[in-house]
Amino acid sequence: LEDSREKRVFANCITPGPTTNSKGACRRDAQYPQILKAVEFALFNGRDPQAGFEWVKSVETGDPTKFKDFDEFYQAWLKQWEWVVKSEVKFRNRVFKVLGQTLRRPFVSALYKGCLETGLDVMCYPMPRFSFQSLVGLVDTIDSLAAVKHLVYEKKKYTMAQLQQAIKADWVGYDEMRADFQNAPKFGNDSDSADEIMVRVNKDISDIGRTNLDVDGH
């Protein structure tokens, strides 16, 4: 990695999935939306900046070059985050619905007491289908928000227009600017500003998940 302070690690987890006499999920599916895309959408008013992908769009959240402060940018990002997650959940629900109509798992069904008692296949048995959902790129998202806050809104070293230009160029020709953004405050490095953003983000996305993330009745 270009940033010598960063380290690559392998992260794994084990999710318990009791089957014989429980109402747990019938399979351990993990869904991974790339949540960092929401930052890019916020920077380009719901559009993809990469040439050839202009047709990709989410929701319009306003021209970021006209945002007065970080809070406006943050709220735009939060709306983009909600769109990305809702889109992934909607797609997942449709896939699982089709799987429930077309796929049968007799061996796994034999491990469930409820399936044996009712004669229903595990793919149709009324139990929770979704074991968990992970958000890939959340820490990178926090670091990106912290960098924008620090360099664009606090120090005012760069404008939002300059940041847009650098991203469209994939940072080619913007080496000094890229280094500044790489060295901006990051979560987990004793930066109160970045840590406060992490706390705020977790509270806000948790609130949305509990109250405003109903997709296809789920």
Side-chain angles (χ1 to χ4, degrees):
L1 296 179
E2 293 182 351
D3 191 335
S4 61
R5 296 177 303 171
E6 298 183 37
K7 298 291 188 295
R8 289 190 176 186
V9 298
F10 290 98
N12 299 280
C13 67
I14 298 176
T15 302
T19 59
T20 304
N21 190 22
S22 74
K23 292 184 178 181
C26 57
R27 57 187 186 274
R28 317 310 296 177
D29 291 294
Q31 310 302 323
Y32 299 115
Q34 176 46 268
I35 204 62
L36 192 57
K37 191 67 178 180
V39 177
E40 191 172 71
F41 279 147
L43 286 167
F44 294 93
N45 194 17
R47 297 295 188 271
D48 195 306
Q50 185 174 345
F53 288 86
E54 293 84 1
W55 56 272
V56 177
K57 60 181 180 179
S58 57
V59 294
E60 294 187 359
T61 47
D63 182 354
T65 64
K66 298 179 180 179
F67 291 165
K68 298 178 181 178
D69 52 33
F70 174 73
D71 189 64
E72 284 193 53
F73 179 76
Y74 177 87
Q75 292 303 325
W77 165 80
L78 191 61
K79 290 180 181 179
Q80 296 293 348
W81 174 89
E82 185 175 351
W83 183 89
V84 170
V85 173
K86 277 188 174 182
S87 298
E88 187 278 327
V89 172
K90 187 175 183 179
F91 177 77
R92 177 187 64 179
N93 288 350
R94 290 177 178 176
V95 170
F96 280 12
K97 182 178 180 180
V98 172
L99 288 177
Q101 295 170 342
T102 60
L103 180 64
R104 295 295 176 263
R105 307 183 73 184
F107 177 76
V108 177
S109 300
L111 302 177
Y112 279 80
K113 182 179 180 181
C115 291
L116 295 176
E117 292 176 341
T118 63
L120 293 174
D121 187 271
V122 72
M123 300 300 293
C124 305
Y125 191 76
M127 65 179 69
R129 293 182 298 165
F130 313 130
S131 52
F132 58 88
Q133 182 184 54
S134 296
L135 301 179
V136 175
L138 182 59
V139 174
D140 292 328
T141 292
I142 302 304
D143 292 344
S144 298
L145 293 174
V148 170
K149 180 181 180 182
H150 180 67
L151 292 168
V152 176
Y153 293 105
E154 292 180 342
K155 297 190 69 175
K156 300 185 185 300
K157 185 171 183 178
Y158 302 103
T159 66
M160 187 63 73
Q162 288 176 312
L163 178 57
Q164 290 176 328
Q165 292 171 359
I167 292 175
K168 285 184 177 181
D170 197 20
W171 299 99
V172 175
Y174 294 86
D175 294 343
E176 180 179 349
M177 183 178 180
R178 184 179 190 180
D180 285 340
F181 273 86
Q182 287 179 327
N183 294 322
K186 290 180 172 58
F187 170 71
N189 288 273
D190 295 325
S191 168
D192 291 340
S193 178
D195 292 350
E196 288 170 2
I197 293 175
M198 175 63 88
V199 172
R200 181 181 183 183
V201 165
N202 275 277
K203 180 183 183 303
D204 287 343
I205 64 177
S206 177
D207 289 344
I208 291 175
R210 287 196 301 265
T211 63
N212 193 32
L213 203 56
D214 181 59
V215 180
D216 293 345
H218 299 287

